[in-house]
Structures are given as C-alpha cells and as structure tokens.
Coordinates of all heavy atoms in Angstrom, one line a residue:
M266 N 127.7 1.2 140.8 CA 128.5 2.3 140.9 C 128.0 3.4 140.0 O 127.7 3.2 138.8 CB 130.0 2.0 140.6 CG 130.9 3.1 140.8 SD 132.6 2.5 140.5 CE 133.5 4.0 140.4
V267 N 128.0 4.7 140.5 CA 127.5 5.8 139.7 C 128.7 6.2 138.7 O 129.8 6.3 139.1 CB 127.2 7.0 140.6 CG1 126.8 8.2 139.8 CG2 126.1 6.6 141.6
P268 N 128.3 6.3 137.4 CA 129.4 6.7 136.5 C 129.9 8.1 136.8 O 129.2 9.0 137.2 CB 128.7 6.7 135.1 CG 127.2 6.6 135.4 CD 127.1 6.2 136.8
V269 N 131.2 8.3 136.6 CA 131.8 9.6 136.9 C 131.9 10.4 135.5 O 131.8 9.8 134.4 CB 133.1 9.6 137.6 CG1 132.9 9.0 139.0 CG2 134.1 8.7 136.8
V270 N 132.1 11.7 135.6 CA 132.1 12.5 134.4 C 133.1 12.0 133.3 O 132.7 11.8 132.2 CB 132.4 14.0 134.8 CG1 132.5 14.8 133.5 CG2 131.3 14.5 135.6
N271 N 134.3 11.7 133.7 CA 135.3 11.3 132.7 C 134.9 10.1 131.9 O 135.1 10.0 130.7 CB 136.6 11.0 133.4 CG 137.5 12.3 133.4 OD1 137.1 13.3 132.9 ND2 138.7 12.1 133.9
E272 N 134.3 9.1 132.6 CA 134.0 7.9 132.0 C 132.9 8.0 130.9 O 132.9 7.3 130.0 CB 133.5 6.9 133.0 CG 134.5 6.4 134.0 CD 133.9 5.6 135.1 OE1 132.7 5.5 135.3 OE2 134.7 5.0 135.9
L273 N 132.1 9.0 131.1 CA 131.0 9.2 130.2 C 131.2 10.2 129.0 O 130.8 10.0 127.9 CB 129.7 9.7 130.9 CG 129.1 8.6 131.8 CD1 127.9 9.2 132.5 CD2 128.7 7.4 131.1
Y274 N 131.9 11.3 129.3 CA 131.9 12.4 128.4 C 133.2 12.8 127.8 O 133.2 13.5 126.8 CB 131.2 13.6 129.0 CG 129.7 13.3 129.3 CD1 129.3 12.9 130.6 CD2 128.8 13.3 128.3 CE1 128.0 12.6 130.8 CE2 127.5 13.0 128.5 CZ 127.1 12.6 129.8 OH 125.8 12.3 130.0
F275 N 134.3 12.5 128.4 CA 135.5 13.1 127.9 C 136.2 12.1 127.0 O 136.3 10.9 127.3 CB 136.5 13.4 129.1 CG 136.1 14.6 129.8 CD1 136.5 14.8 131.1 CD2 135.3 15.6 129.2 CE1 136.1 16.0 131.8 CE2 134.9 16.8 129.9 CZ 135.3 16.9 131.2
D276 N 136.6 12.6 125.9 CA 137.3 11.9 124.9 C 138.8 11.7 125.4 O 139.5 12.6 125.7 CB 137.3 12.7 123.6 CG 138.0 11.9 122.5 OD1 138.8 11.0 122.7 OD2 137.8 12.3 121.3
A277 N 139.2 10.4 125.5 CA 140.5 10.2 126.0 C 141.6 10.8 125.2 O 142.8 10.9 125.6 CB 140.7 8.7 126.1
Q278 N 141.3 11.2 123.9 CA 142.2 11.9 123.1 C 142.6 13.3 123.6 O 143.6 13.9 123.2 CB 141.7 12.0 121.7 CG 141.4 10.7 121.0 CD 142.6 9.8 120.8 OE1 143.6 10.2 120.3 NE2 142.5 8.5 121.2
E279 N 141.7 13.8 124.4 CA 141.9 15.2 124.9 C 143.0 15.2 126.0 O 142.7 14.5 127.0 CB 140.6 15.8 125.4 CG 139.6 16.0 124.3 CD 140.0 16.9 123.2 OE1 140.7 17.9 123.6 OE2 139.8 16.6 122.1
P280 N 144.1 15.8 125.8 CA 145.2 15.7 126.8 C 144.9 16.3 128.1 O 145.5 15.9 129.1 CB 146.4 16.5 126.1 CG 145.7 17.3 125.1 CD 144.5 16.7 124.6
W281 N 143.9 17.2 128.2 CA 143.6 17.9 129.4 C 142.7 17.2 130.3 O 142.6 17.5 131.5 CB 143.1 19.3 129.1 CG 141.9 19.3 128.1 CD1 142.1 19.5 126.8 CD2 140.6 19.1 128.4 NE1 140.8 19.4 126.2 CE2 139.9 19.2 127.1 CE3 139.8 18.9 129.5 CZ2 138.5 19.0 127.0 CZ3 138.4 18.7 129.4 CH2 137.8 18.8 128.2
Y282 N 142.0 16.1 129.8 CA 141.0 15.5 130.6 C 141.4 14.9 131.9 O 140.7 14.8 132.9 CB 140.1 14.5 129.8 CG 140.7 13.1 129.8 CD1 140.2 12.2 130.7 CD2 141.7 12.8 128.9 CE1 140.7 10.9 130.7 CE2 142.2 11.5 128.9 CZ 141.7 10.6 129.8 OH 142.2 9.3 129.8
E283 N 142.7 14.5 132.0 CA 143.2 13.9 133.2 C 143.3 14.8 134.4 O 143.3 14.4 135.5 CB 144.5 13.2 132.9 CG 144.4 12.0 132.1 CD 145.7 11.3 131.9 OE1 146.7 11.6 132.6 OE2 145.8 10.4 131.0
E284 N 143.3 16.1 134.1 CA 143.4 17.1 135.1 C 142.1 17.7 135.5 O 142.0 18.6 136.3 CB 144.3 18.3 134.7 CG 145.8 17.8 134.5 CD 146.6 19.0 134.1 OE1 146.7 20.0 134.9 OE2 147.2 19.0 133.0
A285 N 141.0 17.2 134.9 CA 139.7 17.7 135.2 C 139.3 17.6 136.6 O 139.3 16.5 137.2 CB 138.7 17.0 134.3
A286 N 138.8 18.7 137.2 CA 138.4 18.7 138.6 C 137.1 17.9 138.8 O 136.8 17.5 139.9 CB 138.2 20.1 139.1
C287 N 136.4 17.6 137.7 CA 135.1 16.9 137.8 C 135.3 15.4 137.7 O 134.3 14.7 137.8 CB 134.2 17.4 136.8 SG 134.9 17.2 135.1
A288 N 136.5 14.9 137.5 CA 136.7 13.5 137.2 C 136.1 12.5 138.1 O 135.6 11.5 137.7 CB 138.2 13.2 137.1
S289 N 136.0 12.9 139.4 CA 135.4 11.9 140.3 C 134.0 12.2 140.8 O 133.5 11.5 141.6 CB 136.3 11.8 141.6 OG 136.4 13.1 142.2
Y290 N 133.4 13.2 140.1 CA 132.0 13.5 140.5 C 131.0 12.7 139.7 O 131.3 12.4 138.5 CB 131.8 15.0 140.3 CG 132.4 15.9 141.3 CD1 133.7 16.3 141.2 CD2 131.7 16.2 142.5 CE1 134.3 17.1 142.2 CE2 132.2 17.0 143.5 CZ 133.6 17.4 143.3 OH 134.1 18.2 144.3
P291 N 129.9 12.4 140.2 CA 128.8 11.8 139.5 C 128.4 12.6 138.3 O 128.4 13.8 138.4 CB 127.7 11.6 140.4 CG 128.2 11.8 141.8 CD 129.5 12.7 141.6
A292 N 128.2 12.0 137.1 CA 127.9 12.7 135.9 C 126.7 13.6 136.0 O 126.6 14.7 135.4 CB 127.7 11.7 134.8
E293 N 125.7 13.2 136.9 CA 124.5 14.0 136.9 C 124.7 15.4 137.6 O 123.9 16.3 137.4 CB 123.4 13.3 137.7 CG 123.7 12.9 139.1 CD 124.1 11.4 139.1 OE1 124.7 10.9 138.2 OE2 123.9 10.8 140.2
V294 N 125.9 15.6 138.2 CA 126.2 16.9 138.8 C 126.4 17.9 137.6 O 126.0 19.0 137.6 CB 127.4 16.9 139.7 CG1 127.8 18.3 140.1 CG2 127.1 16.0 140.9
F295 N 127.1 17.4 136.5 CA 127.4 18.2 135.4 C 126.4 18.1 134.3 O 126.4 18.9 133.4 CB 128.8 17.8 134.9 CG 129.9 18.3 135.8 CD1 130.2 17.6 137.0 CD2 130.5 19.6 135.6 CE1 131.1 18.1 137.9 CE2 131.4 20.1 136.5 CZ 131.7 19.3 137.6
F296 N 125.6 17.1 134.3 CA 124.5 16.9 133.3 C 123.2 16.7 134.1 O 122.6 15.6 134.1 CB 124.8 15.7 132.4 CG 126.0 15.9 131.6 CD1 127.3 15.7 132.1 CD2 125.9 16.5 130.3 CE1 128.5 15.9 131.3 CE2 127.1 16.7 129.5 CZ 128.3 16.4 130.0
P297 N 122.8 17.8 134.7 CA 121.5 17.7 135.5 C 120.3 17.5 134.6 O 120.4 17.9 133.4 CB 121.4 19.1 136.2 CG 122.2 20.0 135.4 CD 123.3 19.2 134.8
P298 N 119.3 16.8 135.2 CA 118.1 16.5 134.3 C 117.4 17.7 133.8 O 116.8 17.7 132.7 CB 117.2 15.7 135.3 CG 117.8 15.8 136.6 CD 119.2 16.3 136.5
I299 N 117.5 18.9 134.5 CA 116.9 20.1 134.1 C 118.0 21.1 133.7 O 118.9 21.3 134.5 CB 116.0 20.7 135.2 CG1 115.1 19.7 135.8 CG2 115.3 22.0 134.6 CD1 114.5 20.2 137.1
D300 N 117.9 21.7 132.5 CA 118.9 22.7 132.1 C 118.5 24.0 132.7 O 117.7 24.8 132.1 CB 119.0 22.7 130.6 CG 120.1 23.6 130.1 OD1 121.1 23.8 130.9 OD2 120.1 24.0 129.0
S301 N 118.9 24.3 133.9 CA 118.6 25.6 134.5 C 119.8 26.1 135.3 O 120.6 25.3 135.7 CB 117.4 25.5 135.4 OG 117.8 24.8 136.6
P302 N 119.8 27.4 135.5 CA 121.0 28.0 136.2 C 121.1 27.4 137.6 O 122.2 27.1 138.1 CB 120.6 29.5 136.3 CG 119.8 29.7 135.1 CD 119.0 28.5 134.9
S303 N 120.0 27.2 138.3 CA 120.1 26.6 139.7 C 120.6 25.2 139.7 O 121.4 24.8 140.5 CB 118.8 26.8 140.4 OG 117.8 26.1 139.8
A304 N 120.2 24.4 138.7 CA 120.6 23.0 138.6 C 122.1 22.9 138.3 O 122.8 22.0 138.7 CB 119.8 22.3 137.6
A305 N 122.6 23.9 137.6 CA 124.0 23.9 137.2 C 125.0 24.5 138.2 O 126.2 24.4 138.1 CB 124.1 24.6 135.9
S306 N 124.4 25.1 139.3 CA 125.3 25.9 140.2 C 126.4 25.0 140.9 O 127.5 25.5 141.1 CB 124.4 26.6 141.2 OG 123.7 25.7 142.0
A307 N 126.1 23.8 141.3 CA 127.0 22.9 141.9 C 128.2 22.6 141.0 O 129.4 22.7 141.4 CB 126.4 21.7 142.4
A308 N 127.9 22.3 139.7 CA 128.9 22.0 138.8 C 129.8 23.3 138.5 O 131.0 23.2 138.4 CB 128.3 21.6 137.5
K309 N 129.1 24.4 138.4 CA 129.9 25.6 138.1 C 130.9 26.0 139.2 O 132.0 26.4 139.0 CB 128.9 26.8 137.9 CG 128.2 26.7 136.6 CD 127.2 27.9 136.4 CE 126.5 27.8 135.1 NZ 125.6 29.0 135.0
A310 N 130.5 25.7 140.5 CA 131.4 25.9 141.6 C 132.6 25.1 141.5 O 133.7 25.5 141.8 CB 130.6 25.7 142.9
I311 N 132.5 23.8 141.1 CA 133.6 22.9 140.9 C 134.5 23.4 139.7 O 135.7 23.5 139.8 CB 133.1 21.5 140.6 CG1 132.4 21.0 141.9 CG2 134.3 20.6 140.3 CD1 131.5 19.7 141.6
C312 N 133.9 23.8 138.7 CA 134.6 24.3 137.5 C 135.5 25.6 137.8 O 136.5 25.7 137.3 CB 133.7 24.8 136.4 SG 132.8 23.4 135.6
E313 N 135.0 26.4 138.7 CA 135.7 27.6 139.1 C 137.1 27.3 139.5 O 138.0 28.1 139.3 CB 135.0 28.4 140.2 CG 133.6 29.0 139.7 CD 133.8 30.0 138.6 OE1 134.8 30.7 138.5 OE2 132.8 30.2 137.8
G314 N 137.4 26.2 140.2 CA 138.7 25.9 140.6 C 139.4 24.9 139.7 O 140.5 24.3 140.1
C315 N 138.9 24.6 138.6 CA 139.5 23.6 137.7 C 140.7 24.1 136.9 O 140.6 25.2 136.3 CB 138.4 23.1 136.7 SG 139.0 21.8 135.6
P316 N 141.8 23.4 136.9 CA 143.0 23.9 136.2 C 142.9 23.8 134.6 O 143.7 24.4 133.9 CB 144.1 23.0 136.7 CG 143.4 21.7 137.1 CD 142.0 22.1 137.6
V317 N 141.8 23.2 134.1 CA 141.7 23.0 132.7 C 140.4 23.7 132.2 O 139.8 23.2 131.2 CB 141.8 21.6 132.2 CG1 143.3 21.1 132.4 CG2 140.8 20.7 132.9
R318 N 139.9 24.6 132.9 CA 138.7 25.3 132.6 C 138.6 25.8 131.1 O 137.7 25.6 130.4 CB 138.4 26.4 133.6 CG 137.0 27.0 133.4 CD 136.8 28.1 134.5 NE 135.8 29.0 134.0 CZ 135.5 30.1 134.7 NH1 136.1 30.4 135.8 NH2 134.6 30.9 134.2
E319 N 139.7 26.5 130.8 CA 139.7 27.1 129.4 C 139.7 26.1 128.3 O 139.0 26.2 127.3 CB 140.9 28.0 129.2 CG 140.8 29.4 129.9 CD 142.0 30.3 129.7 OE1 142.6 30.2 128.6 OE2 142.3 31.1 130.6
E320 N 140.5 25.0 128.5 CA 140.6 23.9 127.5 C 139.2 23.3 127.4 O 138.7 22.9 126.3 CB 141.6 22.9 127.9 CG 143.0 23.4 127.8 CD 143.5 24.1 129.1 OE1 142.7 24.5 129.9 OE2 144.8 24.1 129.3
C321 N 138.6 23.1 128.5 CA 137.3 22.4 128.6 C 136.2 23.2 127.8 O 135.5 22.7 127.0 CB 136.9 22.2 130.0 SG 135.2 21.5 130.2
L322 N 136.2 24.5 128.1 CA 135.2 25.4 127.5 C 135.5 25.5 126.0 O 134.5 25.4 125.1 CB 135.2 26.8 128.1 CG 134.3 27.8 127.4 CD1 132.8 27.3 127.5 CD2 134.4 29.2 128.1
S323 N 136.7 25.6 125.6 CA 137.1 25.6 124.1 C 136.6 24.3 123.5 O 136.0 24.3 122.4 CB 138.6 25.7 123.9 OG 139.0 27.0 124.4
F324 N 136.8 23.2 124.1 CA 136.4 21.9 123.6 C 134.9 21.9 123.4 O 134.4 21.5 122.3 CB 136.9 20.8 124.5 CG 136.4 19.4 124.1 CD1 137.0 18.7 123.1 CD2 135.2 18.8 124.7 CE1 136.6 17.4 122.7 CE2 134.8 17.6 124.3 CZ 135.4 16.9 123.3
A325 N 134.2 22.3 124.4 CA 132.7 22.3 124.3 C 132.2 23.2 123.2 O 131.3 22.8 122.5 CB 132.1 22.7 125.7
L326 N 132.8 24.4 123.0 CA 132.4 25.3 122.0 C 132.7 24.7 120.6 O 131.9 24.7 119.7 CB 133.0 26.6 122.2 CG 132.6 27.4 123.4 CD1 133.4 28.7 123.6 CD2 131.1 27.8 123.3
E327 N 133.9 24.2 120.5 CA 134.4 23.7 119.2 C 133.6 22.4 118.7 O 133.4 22.2 117.5 CB 135.9 23.3 119.2 CG 136.8 24.5 119.2 CD 138.2 24.2 119.7 OE1 138.5 23.0 119.7 OE2 138.9 25.1 119.9
T328 N 133.2 21.6 119.7 CA 132.4 20.4 119.4 C 130.9 20.6 119.5 O 130.2 19.6 119.5 CB 132.9 19.2 120.2 OG1 132.8 19.6 121.6 CG2 134.4 18.9 119.9
A329 N 130.5 21.8 119.8 CA 129.1 22.2 119.9 C 128.3 21.3 120.9 O 127.3 20.7 120.5 CB 128.4 22.2 118.5
Q330 N 128.9 21.1 122.1 CA 128.2 20.3 123.1 C 126.9 21.1 123.5 O 126.9 22.2 123.9 CB 129.1 20.2 124.3 CG 130.4 19.4 124.1 CD 130.1 18.0 123.7 OE1 129.2 17.3 124.2 NE2 130.9 17.5 122.7
V331 N 125.8 20.4 123.4 CA 124.5 21.0 123.6 C 123.9 20.7 125.0 O 122.8 21.2 125.4 CB 123.4 20.7 122.6 CG1 123.9 21.2 121.2 CG2 123.2 19.2 122.5
E332 N 124.6 19.9 125.8 CA 124.1 19.6 127.1 C 125.2 19.8 128.2 O 126.4 19.7 127.8 CB 123.6 18.1 127.2 CG 122.4 17.8 126.4 CD 122.1 16.3 126.5 OE1 122.0 15.8 127.6 OE2 122.0 15.7 125.4
G333 N 124.8 20.0 129.4 CA 125.7 19.9 130.5 C 126.5 21.2 130.7 O 126.4 22.2 130.0
V334 N 127.3 21.2 131.8 CA 128.1 22.3 132.2 C 129.5 21.9 131.7 O 130.1 20.9 132.0 CB 128.1 22.5 133.7 CG1 129.1 23.6 134.1 CG2 126.7 22.9 134.2
W335 N 130.1 22.8 131.0 CA 131.5 22.7 130.6 C 132.2 24.1 130.8 O 131.6 25.1 130.4 CB 131.6 22.4 129.0 CG 130.9 21.1 128.6 CD1 129.6 20.9 128.5 CD2 131.6 19.9 128.2 NE1 129.4 19.6 128.0 CE2 130.6 19.0 127.9 CE3 132.9 19.5 128.1 CZ2 130.9 17.7 127.4 CZ3 133.2 18.3 127.7 CH2 132.2 17.4 127.4
G336 N 133.4 24.0 131.4 CA 134.1 25.3 131.6 C 133.3 26.3 132.4 O 133.4 27.5 132.1
A337 N 132.5 25.9 133.3 CA 131.7 26.8 134.2 C 130.5 27.5 133.4 O 130.0 28.5 133.9 CB 132.5 27.8 134.9
M338 N 130.2 27.0 132.2 CA 129.1 27.5 131.5 C 128.0 26.5 131.2 O 128.4 25.4 130.8 CB 129.6 28.2 130.2 CG 130.5 29.4 130.4 SD 131.0 30.1 128.9 CE 129.6 31.3 128.7
D339 N 126.8 26.8 131.4 CA 125.7 25.9 131.1 C 125.4 26.0 129.6 O 125.9 26.8 128.9 CB 124.5 26.0 132.0 CG 123.8 27.4 131.9 OD1 123.7 27.9 130.7 OD2 123.4 27.9 132.9
A340 N 124.5 25.1 129.1 CA 124.2 25.1 127.7 C 123.7 26.4 127.2 O 124.1 26.8 126.1 CB 123.2 23.9 127.4
G341 N 122.8 27.1 127.9 CA 122.3 28.3 127.5 C 123.4 29.4 127.4 O 123.4 30.2 126.4
E342 N 124.2 29.4 128.3 CA 125.3 30.4 128.3 C 126.3 30.1 127.1 O 126.7 31.1 126.5 CB 126.1 30.3 129.6 CG 125.3 30.9 130.8 CD 126.0 30.5 132.1 OE1 126.6 29.5 132.2 OE2 125.8 31.3 133.0
R343 N 126.5 28.9 126.8 CA 127.4 28.6 125.7 C 126.7 28.9 124.4 O 127.4 29.4 123.4 CB 127.8 27.1 125.7 CG 128.7 26.7 126.8 CD 129.4 25.4 126.6 NE 128.5 24.3 126.3 CZ 127.8 23.6 127.2 NH1 127.9 23.9 128.5 NH2 126.9 22.7 126.8
R344 N 125.4 28.7 124.3 CA 124.7 29.0 123.1 C 124.8 30.6 122.8 O 125.0 31.0 121.7 CB 123.2 28.6 123.3 CG 122.5 28.3 122.0 CD 121.1 27.6 122.2 NE 120.4 28.0 123.4 CZ 120.2 27.1 124.5 NH1 120.6 25.9 124.4 NH2 119.5 27.5 125.5
R345 N 124.6 31.3 123.9 CA 124.6 32.8 123.8 C 126.1 33.2 123.4 O 126.3 34.1 122.6 CB 124.2 33.5 125.0 CG 122.7 33.4 125.2 CD 122.2 34.2 126.4 NE 122.5 33.7 127.7 CZ 121.9 32.7 128.3 NH1 120.8 32.1 127.7 NH2 122.3 32.2 129.5
M346 N 127.1 32.6 124.0 CA 128.4 32.9 123.6 C 128.7 32.6 122.2 O 129.4 33.4 121.5 CB 129.4 32.1 124.5 CG 130.9 32.4 124.2 SD 132.0 31.5 125.3 CE 132.6 32.8 126.3
R347 N 128.3 31.4 121.7 CA 128.5 31.1 120.3 C 127.8 32.1 119.4 O 128.4 32.5 118.3 CB 127.9 29.7 120.0 CG 128.9 28.6 120.4 CD 128.5 27.2 119.7 NE 127.2 26.8 119.9 CZ 126.8 26.1 121.0 NH1 127.7 25.7 121.8 NH2 125.5 25.7 121.2
R348 N 126.6 32.5 119.8 CA 125.9 33.5 118.9 C 126.6 34.9 118.9 O 126.8 35.5 117.9 CB 124.5 33.8 119.5 CG 123.5 34.5 118.6 CD 122.1 34.6 119.2 NE 121.6 33.4 119.6 CZ 121.0 33.2 120.8 NH1 120.8 34.1 121.6 NH2 120.5 32.0 121.1
R349 N 127.1 35.3 120.1 CA 127.9 36.6 120.1 C 129.2 36.4 119.3 O 129.5 37.4 118.5 CB 128.3 36.9 121.6 CG 127.2 37.5 122.4 CD 127.8 38.1 123.7 NE 128.5 37.2 124.5 CZ 128.0 36.4 125.4 NH1 126.7 36.5 125.6 NH2 128.7 35.6 126.1
N350 N 129.9 35.3 119.4 CA 131.1 35.1 118.6 C 130.8 35.1 117.1 O 131.5 35.7 116.3 CB 131.8 33.8 118.9 CG 132.4 33.8 120.3 OD1 132.5 34.9 120.9 ND2 132.7 32.6 120.9
R351 N 129.6 34.5 116.7 CA 129.2 34.5 115.3 C 128.9 35.9 114.8 O 129.3 36.3 113.7 CB 128.0 33.6 115.2 CG 128.0 32.7 113.9 CD 126.9 31.7 113.9 NE 125.7 32.0 114.6 CZ 125.2 31.2 115.6 NH1 125.8 30.1 116.0 NH2 124.1 31.5 116.3
D352 N 128.2 36.6 115.6 CA 127.8 38.0 115.2 C 129.1 38.8 115.1 O 129.2 39.7 114.2 CB 126.9 38.6 116.3 CG 125.5 38.0 116.3 OD1 125.2 37.2 115.3 OD2 124.8 38.2 117.3
R353 N 130.0 38.7 116.0 CA 131.3 39.4 115.9 C 132.0 39.1 114.6 O 132.5 40.0 113.9 CB 132.1 39.1 117.1 CG 133.3 40.0 117.3 CD 134.1 39.7 118.6 NE 133.3 39.6 119.7 CZ 133.3 38.6 120.6 NH1 134.0 37.6 120.4 NH2 132.5 38.6 121.6
E354 N 132.0 37.8 114.3 CA 132.7 37.4 113.0 C 132.0 38.0 111.8 O 132.7 38.4 110.9 CB 132.7 35.9 112.9 CG 133.6 35.2 113.9 CD 135.1 35.6 113.7 OE1 135.6 35.7 112.6 OE2 135.7 35.9 114.8
R355 N 130.7 38.0 111.8 CA 130.0 38.6 110.7 C 130.3 40.1 110.5 O 130.4 40.6 109.4 CB 128.5 38.4 110.9 CG 128.0 37.0 110.6 CD 126.5 36.9 110.5 NE 126.1 35.5 110.4 CZ 125.2 35.0 111.2 NH1 124.6 35.7 112.2 NH2 124.9 33.7 111.1
R356 N 130.3 40.8 111.7 CA 130.6 42.3 111.6 C 132.0 42.5 111.1 O 132.2 43.4 110.3 CB 130.4 42.9 113.0 CG 129.0 43.1 113.4 CD 128.9 44.1 114.6 NE 129.5 43.6 115.8 CZ 129.0 42.7 116.6 NH1 127.7 42.3 116.5 NH2 129.6 42.3 117.7
R357 N 132.9 41.6 111.5 CA 134.3 41.8 111.0 C 134.4 41.6 109.5 O 135.1 42.2 108.8 CB 135.2 40.8 111.7 CG 135.9 41.4 112.9 CD 137.1 40.5 113.3 NE 137.1 40.5 114.8 CZ 137.2 39.5 115.6 NH1 137.2 38.3 115.1 NH2 137.2 39.7 116.9
A358 N 133.6 40.6 109.0 CA 133.7 40.2 107.6 C 133.0 41.2 106.7 O 133.3 41.3 105.5 CB 133.0 38.8 107.4
S359 N 132.1 42.0 107.3 CA 131.3 43.0 106.4 C 132.0 44.3 106.3 O 133.0 44.6 106.9 CB 129.9 43.2 107.0 OG 130.0 43.8 108.3
Ligands
SF4_643 S1 135.9 23.1 133.7 FE1 134.4 22.0 134.8 S2 133.5 20.5 133.3 FE2 135.4 21.2 132.5 S3 136.9 19.7 133.1 FE3 136.9 21.3 134.7 S4 135.5 20.7 136.3 FE4 135.1 19.4 134.4

C-alpha cells in the first residue's frame, strides 16, 4: 500500500491535520522527487480547496519544512516568503 500524506508527515499533535484535503493522497504527490513548479502543480491544486491551508502553511513556516508542498506553496516559494518576512522584520527593527 502506498503511504498517504498524513501517515508520513503530519504530527498527530497538530489539531488541524484531520481536516487535511491531502490525507488520502499518495505522499509523492506532495513530495515529488523533483522540486519544481510543474511537479508541484497537482499538489497545489488540491491545497487550493483545503480547509486548513493557512494552518498548514503556518506550520511549515514555523517548523522550517524544506521539502514538499505545504499550504499550496512549494519549498522555493516558502524559502522566498521566509526571506521576505525576515527582511521586513529587520526593516522594522532598524
Ligand atoms: S494545505 Fe495542502 S498540504 Fe496542507 S493540509 Fe491542506 S492539502 Fe495538505
């Protein structure tokens, strides 16, 4: 049996994981072997209708997930978002 996303990646402590739209999809949809926009497009389409998208993205940013699609963002998009957030914080602090 192909492992599904919840079984592999979601911490059962996270209260939102039970509502995840990806729960029954094979993990490789959300963790494609190649980190590219086209490889991530199927996962992002599923995320678009997910009721816990914001919680998922926050979790991925807070825990610095470096692989896969979380909250409709691939690893590169999250990296750029973290960088923008960091730059904004630095500007505020100066
Ligand atoms: S936003 Fe995407 S990766 Fe996150 S729980 Fe929902 S479907 Fe899964």
Side-chain angles (χ1 to χ4, degrees):
M266 183 175 167
V267 178
V269 294
V270 175
N271 268 2
E272 290 172 351
L273 291 178
Y274 295 100
F275 286 154
D276 184 342
Q278 301 295 314
E279 295 300 319
W281 48 268
Y282 87 97
E283 288 184 15
E284 294 180 62
C287 57
S289 60
Y290 285 87
E293 60 261 27
V294 174
F295 286 82
F296 294 85
I299 309 165
D300 189 19
S301 75
S303 60
S306 61
K309 289 179 180 181
I311 297 164
C312 292
E313 292 297 334
C315 180
V317 292
R318 183 177 159 187
E319 284 183 30
E320 292 89 338
C321 175
L322 180 57
S323 294
F324 175 81
L326 293 171
E327 287 164 12
T328 57
Q330 297 294 321
V331 295
E332 292 179 52
V334 174
W335 298 76
M338 295 183 87
D339 62 40
E342 291 169 326
R343 291 194 309 277
R344 209 169 30 249
R345 288 188 287 280
M346 177 181 252
R347 279 198 303 272
R348 194 177 308 133
R349 280 195 304 273
N350 291 345
R351 219 173 25 241
D352 291 348
R353 193 177 308 127
E354 289 301 317
R355 283 192 191 126
R356 280 196 300 276
R357 264 194 215 129
S359 61

